[in-house]
Amino acid sequence: MTLVLASQSPRRRELLAQAGLGVEGFSFERVNPDIDETPLAGEPPANYVARLAVEKAKAGLALCGHINGPVVLGSDTIVVLDGLLLGKPGDKAEAVAMLSALSGREHQVMTAVALTDGDRTLCDTVTTKVRFATLSLQDIQAYVDTGEPMDKAGAYGIQGLGGVFVEAIDGSYSAVVGLPLVESRRLLAAFSLI
C-alpha cells in the first residue's frame, strides 16, 4: 500500500510527516485534487467539513492510477462562528470583516480527516475551541496587509503571524493548523499504514 496525501498544503504535508514519527520508512506521495467546495443548502458545518474531506480523498484516489495500492488521505478545515461558516476571504475587505467578527470572541475550528482505498472510507472530525484577543482595527489591517489571511479559513493562520491573536485554545492545536495528529494516526493504523 502507498499512502497519498490529497493536498498541496505545506502545513498538511509537514503534519502528515510528523504523524509518521517512529515508523521506519514512513513516506507518502502527493496529489492535488480539485473539488467543488460549495456548501449544500442547510448543510451543518460538521457535515460539510466531513463531506469535503471524504470528497478530497476520493478525488485524490482518482488521480492515483500510476500508484500501486493507494490509500488516500483527504482533509479539510473550517472556521465556525455562531453556527456560520467562515471560509477563505474573497478579498481584503472580507478578511477585515471576518477578523473583526472573531475579535474578543470564541469560535470553533473543525477539521475532518478521511482515508480511503476505494473499498473502505473512514473519516473523523475534530472540533477545537479558539478564543481571540480583542483586536484593534490597526492590528487587523496590519495583518491583512501581510497577505497571510487570504488563503486561510476564517482569515487567519494560528501557526503563522495570526497566532498572536489567539488567546486560548481548547482542543487539538494540530487540527487548527490543518491535520489532527492523534486522529490521523488512528486512521493510518486502521489501514495498517503505521
Side-chain angles (χ1 to χ4, degrees):
M1 286 189 292
T2 302
L3 177 61
V4 179
L5 173 62
S7 173
Q8 289 301 306
S9 162
R11 296 168 299 280
R12 287 200 176 103
R13 183 190 71 233
E14 290 166 8
L15 288 166
L16 184 55
Q18 195 176 335
L21 176 69
V23 180
E24 190 174 329
F26 182 82
S27 66
F28 54 91
E29 307 268 335
R30 288 197 303 162
V31 295
N32 190 22
D34 186 25
I35 65 163
D36 180 0
E37 298 190 13
T38 307
L40 302 175
E43 186 174 30
N47 294 28
Y48 169 73
V49 74
R51 178 175 62 81
L52 288 191
V54 169
E55 285 184 9
K56 286 179 181 181
K58 289 181 176 179
L61 186 64
L63 298 174
C64 291
H66 64 291
I67 296 173
N68 187 27
V71 177
V72 183
L73 184 149
S75 185
D76 195 69
T77 301
I78 60 171
V79 173
V80 180
L81 179 67
D82 298 332
L84 298 175
L85 182 67
L86 299 183
K88 296 174 184 174
D91 56 29
K92 286 186 172 189
E94 192 174 358
V96 168
M98 285 184 188
L99 292 163
S100 298
L102 294 171
S103 175
R105 305 203 41 222
E106 183 178 278
H107 61 276
Q108 296 175 314
V109 176
M110 295 181 181
T111 298
V113 58
L115 259 79
T116 189
D117 62 5
D119 294 322
R120 180 171 61 140
T121 301
L122 300 177
C123 183
D124 200 355
T125 302
V126 176
T127 301
T128 301
K129 294 177 184 173
V130 180
R131 178 160 190 82
F132 259 35
T134 300
L135 311 178
S136 69
L137 187 53
Q138 184 179 353
D139 292 334
I140 292 170
Q141 196 61 60
Y143 180 51
V144 170
D145 287 345
T146 70
E148 183 179 274
M150 301 316 295
D151 70 338
K152 310 278 190 297
Y156 76 95
I158 193 171
Q159 74 285 356
L161 297 170
V164 300
F165 302 147
V166 176
E167 202 168 77
I169 73 166
D170 180 7
S172 170
Y173 173 81
S174 65
V176 178
V177 176
L179 190 69
L181 288 173
V182 170
E183 292 76 10
S184 294
R185 283 180 61 91
R186 232 180 260 138
L187 291 177
L188 291 168
F191 278 89
S192 302
L193 289 164
I194 61 170

